[in-house]
Amino acid sequence: MKKLLFISAVSLLSCNRKAPTAHPPVGGVLSQRDLDVSKERMRNLNTIERGQIQDWISGQSVKYYPTQLNYWVNVEGFDQRTRRADNTPVSYSYVLYDFDETRIYDQPFERRDARFGHFNELKAIENALRFIHDGEEITLLVPSSLAYGTFGDEKNIDNDIPLIIKLKAL
């Protein structure tokens, strides 16, 4: 009888617990509502970051020009230049800064003889490399959506951080 009473009490208590919220598995399918919320968040974040970058630009002595891909560069008409084709080799290095102009990594990132269409780089860097001249050094102002986005690089760059990138074609 005591066992029956104990089992009944445990059963009743377990029924009163709130069910945990279900989350889709990593790589799972999100609902349309989740996708819409995510799009709206990114749209709002992009608007805020573009305003912050514009404010930062207004305090600089160097002029920056918007590009078609939604980043800024310190070369007028930059993305109107002749574009490098796929499979063209390019060697480059870059240094990352935050908008306090603090260098994020001590050593620059560098690649030799990378071929377009065969390497995975930040969107803004890969796009800028299409238009940069050999030996040229440029500065990019990049919103987080074209940098490390919502997750950061899981090392020194936090989530949703816009970057200043000093890029040089070697």
Side-chain angles (χ1 to χ4, degrees):
M1 184 68 160
K2 288 182 183 179
K3 284 184 181 179
L4 185 59
L5 188 58
F6 176 74
I7 291 172
S8 298
V10 170
S11 297
L12 284 174
L13 289 174
S14 66
C15 291
N16 287 335
R17 277 197 265 155
K18 183 179 177 184
T21 305
H23 297 284
V26 174
V29 178
L30 296 175
S31 70
Q32 186 60 45
R33 182 181 171 283
D34 292 336
L35 292 173
D36 291 342
V37 167
S38 179
K39 284 180 195 175
E40 186 63 25
R41 178 191 177 279
M42 286 308 298
R43 189 176 302 120
N44 292 338
L45 180 62
N46 191 39
T47 300
I48 291 167
E49 287 180 1
R50 288 183 64 80
Q52 291 170 336
I53 292 171
Q54 288 286 4
D55 289 345
W56 185 87
I57 289 171
S58 67
Q60 304 302 306
S61 60
V62 175
K63 286 194 78 167
Y64 289 90
Y65 305 91
T67 65
Q68 294 176 3
L69 190 63
N70 192 29
Y71 64 90
W72 289 259
V73 65
N74 63 336
V75 177
E76 188 172 10
F78 181 73
D79 60 352
Q80 304 306 313
R81 295 175 172 182
T82 303
R83 183 180 160 92
R84 293 183 197 224
D86 280 348
N87 289 318
T88 304
V90 63
S91 295
Y92 60 94
S93 69
Y94 62 92
V95 180
L96 302 175
Y97 297 85
D98 62 21
F99 272 83
D100 291 329
E101 298 183 62
T102 302
R103 192 170 175 158
I104 297 173
Y105 287 99
D106 293 333
Q107 297 298 314
F109 294 90
E110 185 173 311
R111 287 200 59 174
R112 298 270 179 191
D113 297 319
R115 294 196 175 272
F116 285 103
H118 300 284
F119 64 95
N120 188 19
E121 195 57 80
L122 297 176
K123 290 178 188 178
I125 291 175
E126 188 167 349
N127 181 262
L129 287 169
R130 295 279 186 171
F131 301 104
I132 196 170
H133 296 147
D134 290 340
E136 184 176 28
E137 187 171 344
I138 60 172
T139 301
L140 310 174
L141 309 178
V142 182
S144 65
S145 62
L146 295 175
Y148 289 95
T150 303
F151 299 105
D153 73 347
E154 298 180 354
K155 295 176 190 160
N156 292 5
I157 302 171
D158 207 1
N159 61 315
D160 301 327
I161 299 294
L163 297 173
I164 298 171
I165 303 172
K166 296 197 185 246
L167 175 65
K168 183 174 185 175
L170 305 174

